[in-house]
């Protein structure tokens, strides 16, 4: 140890090293905790126990919507509007007549307000939002209904 010090390594040196080490660790922990708490957008559910009471209903609804066999893709156009395509699992366009689509766009970190999007049909399985979505990263919660009123839901990320 003499190579790193000009004099003998004393108890005061070890005390300074240990105090400095823990000061750095505590500072880093406080900074990381500050970053974590300032970027969390909110609560996922208010009460997880109450939310769990609906779990079987959610599973049953998911099974019912599988009958439709739809998948969705979304892309932002140059003007900011969202183009949505509904297709069958086999890749064919979802040509079911009378399909209505709406979506809620949520910012992943909750820093921007939710944006409600209404869609107009532009072709077989093709829909275009009536309003533009602000720039940035969004999570789309899409809700569609077929002509019989059967609901179908999914979530997509869009940039």
């Amino acid at each position: 140890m003499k190579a790193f010090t000009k004099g003998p390594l004393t108890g005061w040196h070890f005390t300074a090293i240990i105090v400095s080490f823990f000061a750095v660790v505590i500072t880093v922990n406080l900074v990381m905790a500050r970053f974590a708490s300032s970027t969390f957008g909110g609560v996922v559910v208010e009460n997880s126990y109450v939310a769990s009471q609906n779990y079987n209903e959610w599973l049953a609804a998911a099974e019912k919507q599988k009958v439709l066999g739809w998948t969705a893709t979304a892309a932002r156009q140059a003007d900011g509007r969202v183009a949505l395509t509904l297709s069958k699992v086999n890749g064919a366009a979802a040509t079911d007549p009378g399909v209505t689509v709406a979506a809620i766009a949520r910012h992943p970190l909750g820093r921007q307000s939710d944006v409600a999007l209404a869609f107009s049909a532009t072709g077989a399985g093709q829909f275009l939002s009536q309003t533009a979505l602000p720039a940035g990263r969004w999570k789309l919660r899409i809700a569609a209904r077929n002509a019989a009123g059967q609901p179908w839901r999914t979530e997509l990320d869009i940039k």
Side-chain angles (χ1 to χ4, degrees):
M1 285 297 230
K2 279 227 174 215
F4 298 110
T5 63
K6 293 187 179 192
L9 196 56
T10 65
W12 288 109
H13 291 113
F14 277 114
T15 302
I17 290 169
I18 290 173
V19 168
S20 298
F21 170 78
F22 282 108
V24 168
V25 169
I26 290 169
T27 301
V28 168
N29 283 338
L30 290 173
V31 168
M32 296 304 252
R34 165 82 170 79
F35 287 156
S37 65
S38 67
T39 59
F40 180 61
V43 178
V44 176
V45 292
E46 290 296 327
N47 185 328
S48 58
Y49 176 75
V50 172
S52 73
Q53 302 304 303
N54 299 322
Y55 186 71
N56 288 334
E57 293 172 18
W58 296 338
L59 288 177
E63 286 299 320
K64 285 181 185 176
Q65 84 174 24
K66 280 184 184 177
V67 172
L68 292 173
W70 290 347
T71 60
T73 56
R76 185 192 316 261
Q77 294 189 327
D79 63 358
R81 295 189 301 166
V82 177
L84 181 72
T85 302
L86 287 180
S87 50
K88 297 285 188 178
V89 175
N90 64 7
T95 56
D96 306 15
V99 174
T100 58
V101 179
I104 299 291
R106 294 187 168 186
H107 196 263
L109 298 177
R111 293 192 175 179
Q112 294 187 35
S113 299
D114 294 352
V115 178
L117 297 173
F119 287 84
S120 301
T122 58
Q126 304 290 319
F127 300 88
L128 184 63
S129 68
Q130 296 171 357
T131 57
L133 187 62
R137 197 169 161 195
W138 295 88
K139 183 171 281 292
L140 289 181
R141 288 191 173 179
I142 301 166
R145 288 190 180 275
N146 65 5
Q150 184 177 4
W152 181 84
R153 291 180 173 82
T154 191
E155 284 191 11
L156 297 173
D157 289 327
I158 191 164
K159 295 178 182 178

